[in-house]
């Protein structure tokens, strides 16, 4: 897998309704008059002021729910984004099946979107209701057909597993329904209960019992085996793809490439430094009004907001990792750049290239660690093969525990 040089991430901070498990930053647009119009205008200012050198090969519109934007705003937004990214080859838009129409599918295609990430999550209406999703199961297939009809064939579908036993018997039925739709890319995330979300409150109130870790691990292993049998390559902890259909944009994150994020709560890694915006509309608005693309250096942002999801030490939706074995304990919350490189690269099943680490940072494993890597190898969590350090099969499900040792 050869990652592209750089990518643009656009955070669209609106959802028609918050899902019960979600702690991503987004607002319900009706709560703020003229929110969409203000957003599009400010985003235009950000795009116009990006560094001249920045010439991304990938674009990713995420959020939030980009497909929840009204048709004219979506059209205008895509136009301004894609006129700033003339050399982008992979242009992904996240779509909620409950918000897609034939007209929006056509707008995506006409603008140049060539990859869609569809938040399917489950094919069971009861589970979708438990998760607080706005869509019904039958709308997932409808959305795939609308996109295919427009010639957008590179589809990625998200699935959530690890649901409470009172809600689901396991992911098998969902997997079969998903495989029938034959997407090129599949992301599977274990349900996590993030503090502050309605699902977390219901859990605290003992309204349901969560799935035990052993069963959740068995579900993860079953998903891996079924998708492998269906011809998918497991290339990242939570991600599976047909050969050549790995998400090029996300590969930038995992291989230490440059990316610039625009929109509230978006993060950037540009020329060796990390930046971000707070998870808050007014702060983003104020900074962009003052200076276009004007994020806060990460050191300052640490005082204002949590670390970006890809650097979190704790469990996140994007990670199947669960509880740590007793001998693995979180030691650090903020990484130095070399350690960050290692931890992000370990998310890939092929592991992290040590020669690339040396080339990019001038550092070796010996410079970065004081026996931690050897200890994890001894525990059967890591394996060193030639130029690559990778997680063992045993460690995939408890990856966050391993990462907390290495960050
Ligand atoms: S999971 Fe997606 S659609 Fe649901 S609230 Fe979060 S960002 Fe919006």
């Amino acid at each position: 897998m050869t990652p592209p040089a750089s990518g643009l991430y656009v955070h669209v901070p609106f959802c028609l309704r918050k899902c019960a498990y979600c702690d991503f930053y987004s607002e319900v647009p009706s709560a703020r008059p003229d929110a969409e119009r203000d957003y599009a205008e400010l985003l235009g200012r950000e795009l116009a002021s990006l560094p001249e050198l920045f010439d991304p090969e990938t674009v990713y519109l995420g959020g939030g729910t980009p497909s929840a934007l009204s048709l004219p705003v979506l059209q205008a937004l895509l136009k301004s984004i894609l006129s700033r990214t003339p050399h982008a080859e992979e242009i992904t838009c996240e779509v909620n099946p409950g918000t897609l129409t034939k007209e929006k599918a056509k707008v995506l295609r006409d603008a140049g979107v060539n990859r869609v990430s569809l938040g399917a999550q489950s094919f069971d209406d009861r589970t979708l209701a438990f998760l607080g999703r706005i869509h019904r199961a039958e709308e997932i297939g409808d959305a795939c057909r609308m996109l295919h009809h427009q010639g957008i064939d590179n589809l990625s579908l998200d699935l959530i597993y690890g649901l409470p036993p009172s809600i689901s018997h396991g992911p098998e039925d969902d997997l079969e329904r998903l495989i029938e739709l034959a997407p090129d890319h599949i992301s599977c995330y274990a349900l996590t209960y993030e503090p502050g979300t309605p699902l977390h409150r219901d859990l605290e109130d003992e309204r349901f019992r969560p799935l035990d870790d052993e069963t959740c691990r068995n579900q993860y292993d079953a998903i891996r085996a079924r998708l492998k049998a269906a011809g998918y390559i497991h290339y990242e902890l939570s991600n599976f793809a047909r050969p050549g259909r790995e998400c090029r944009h996300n590969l930038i994150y995992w291989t230490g490439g440059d990316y610039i994020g625009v929109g509230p709560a978006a993060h950037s890694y540009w020329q060796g430094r990390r930046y971000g915006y707070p998870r808050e509309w007014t702060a983003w608005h104020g900074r962009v009004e003052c200076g276009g693309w004007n994020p806060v250096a990460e050191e300052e942002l640490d005082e204002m907001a949590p670390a970006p999801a890809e650097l979190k030490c704790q469990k996140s939706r994007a990670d199947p990792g669960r509880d740590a074995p007793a001998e693995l304990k979180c030691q650090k919350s903020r990484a130095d750049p070399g350690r960050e490189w290692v931890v992000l690269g370990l998310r890939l099943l092929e592991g992290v290239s040590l020669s690339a680490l040396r080339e990019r940072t001038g550092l070796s494993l010996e410079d970065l660690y004081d026996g931690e890597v050897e200890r994890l190898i001894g525990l059967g969590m890591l394996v060193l093969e030639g130029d690559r350090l990778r997680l063992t099969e045993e460690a995939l499900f408890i990856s966050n525990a391993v990462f907390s040792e290495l960050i």
Side-chain angles (χ1 to χ4, degrees):
M1 290 179 285
T2 311
S6 63
L8 173 70
Y9 173 73
V10 181
H11 191 82
V12 180
F14 306 117
C15 291
L16 293 191
R17 189 182 72 205
K18 287 298 285 183
C19 300
Y21 58 93
C22 178
D23 79 337
F24 292 112
Y25 171 66
S26 66
E27 299 189 2
V28 177
S30 55
R32 195 184 291 280
D34 298 328
E36 285 195 2
R37 201 201 57 202
D38 287 354
Y39 169 72
E41 199 262 314
L42 286 163
L43 206 84
R45 286 203 214 181
E46 282 207 85
L47 291 167
S49 65
L50 294 181
E52 260 180 52
L53 271 178
F54 180 58
D55 185 16
E57 291 170 22
T58 66
V59 174
Y60 194 105
L61 274 85
T65 312
S67 57
L69 292 169
S70 65
L71 205 57
V73 171
L74 181 64
Q75 208 162 17
L77 197 70
L78 285 167
K79 193 172 167 205
S80 61
I81 292 167
L82 294 169
S83 63
R84 176 57 185 83
T85 55
H87 302 118
E89 292 167 4
E90 181 192 87
I91 300 151
T92 304
C93 184
E94 286 184 353
V95 165
N96 183 315
T99 60
L100 193 69
T101 60
K102 286 179 188 161
E103 293 74 23
K104 283 188 184 173
K106 186 169 182 317
V107 162
L108 295 179
R109 194 278 311 269
D110 289 349
V113 170
N114 55 19
R115 183 174 185 276
V116 163
S117 173
L118 209 55
Q121 317 309 1
S122 171
F123 290 81
D124 174 60
D125 282 333
R126 195 166 153 253
T127 303
L128 290 170
F130 171 77
L131 294 171
R133 300 290 300 178
I134 60 165
H135 70 277
R136 286 171 290 110
E138 67 177 9
E139 289 175 294
I140 301 166
D142 293 346
C144 290
R145 282 183 283 278
M146 281 184 230
L147 293 163
H148 281 304
H149 184 71
Q150 293 297 335
I152 302 177
D153 291 325
N154 191 357
L155 302 186
S156 177
L157 264 64
D158 288 358
L159 196 70
I160 291 181
Y161 68 97
L163 291 146
S166 55
I167 300 297
S168 164
H169 298 303
E172 290 77 12
D173 291 349
D174 279 345
L175 268 182
E176 295 314 313
R177 299 278 303 275
L178 188 145
I179 290 167
E180 274 169 28
L181 292 171
D184 281 342
H185 189 280
I186 295 169
S187 303
C188 295
Y189 302 114
L191 179 64
T192 56
Y193 302 96
E194 302 297 336
T197 61
L199 224 50
H200 185 264
R201 283 194 288 278
D202 287 350
L203 180 70
E204 300 263 283
D205 292 345
E206 299 184 0
R207 287 173 189 261
F208 58 83
R209 194 165 49 83
L211 192 66
D212 64 273
D213 282 348
E214 195 186 332
T215 311
C216 194
R217 172 193 274 270
N218 291 340
Q219 291 188 359
Y220 181 59
D221 290 342
I223 289 168
R224 294 181 61 221
R226 180 66 188 97
L227 291 180
K228 186 178 173 198
Y232 291 91
I233 296 166
H234 186 193
Y235 74 100
E236 194 268 352
L237 292 171
S238 309
N239 287 284
F240 304 79
R242 298 235 184 257
R245 289 298 208 178
E246 296 88 359
C247 177
R248 295 183 61 191
H249 183 83
N250 284 344
L251 280 171
I252 294 173
Y253 300 147
W254 301 319
T255 53
D258 283 326
Y259 58 92
I260 284 185
V262 292
H267 285 267
S268 306
Y269 179 64
W270 177 243
Q271 298 189 330
R273 291 201 66 188
R274 292 196 180 277
Y275 305 89
Y277 286 113
R279 293 163 53 100
E280 206 258 319
W281 175 274
T282 313
W284 171 72
H285 193 287
R287 294 197 67 87
V288 176
E289 274 205 317
C290 285
W293 181 62
N294 185 20
V296 184
E298 195 179 64
E299 309 84 75
E300 292 169 49
L301 195 66
D302 277 352
E303 312 291 317
M304 305 159 76
E310 67 269 25
L311 299 178
K312 269 187 186 173
C313 190
Q314 295 83 12
K315 290 188 286 189
S316 79
R317 194 190 75 162
D319 200 312
R322 303 281 281 193
D323 292 343
E327 64 272 31
L328 300 177
K329 294 193 185 80
C330 188
Q331 292 175 332
K332 290 192 174 191
S333 59
R334 170 60 54 200
D336 71 46
R339 285 181 170 230
E340 258 176 30
W341 177 289
V342 171
V343 166
L344 289 171
L346 283 173
R347 297 189 64 92
L348 295 171
L349 276 273
E350 68 180 18
V352 61
S353 161
L354 302 183
S355 54
L357 170 72
R358 243 187 321 272
E359 221 170 274
R360 183 72 182 250
T361 65
L363 297 166
S364 66
L365 282 182
E366 292 71 36
D367 298 324
L368 290 169
Y369 297 107
D370 190 17
E372 293 97 327
V373 169
E374 287 74 15
R375 197 167 75 82
L376 289 162
I377 290 174
L379 286 169
M381 301 289 156
L382 291 176
V383 62
L384 189 56
E385 279 173 352
D387 180 47
R388 288 194 176 267
L389 180 72
R390 63 172 175 81
L391 293 171
T392 59
E393 300 253 320
E394 177 66 20
L396 293 178
F397 189 72
I398 53 162
S399 55
N400 275 334
V402 177
F403 296 162
S404 68
E405 285 281 287
L406 297 174
I407 198 75

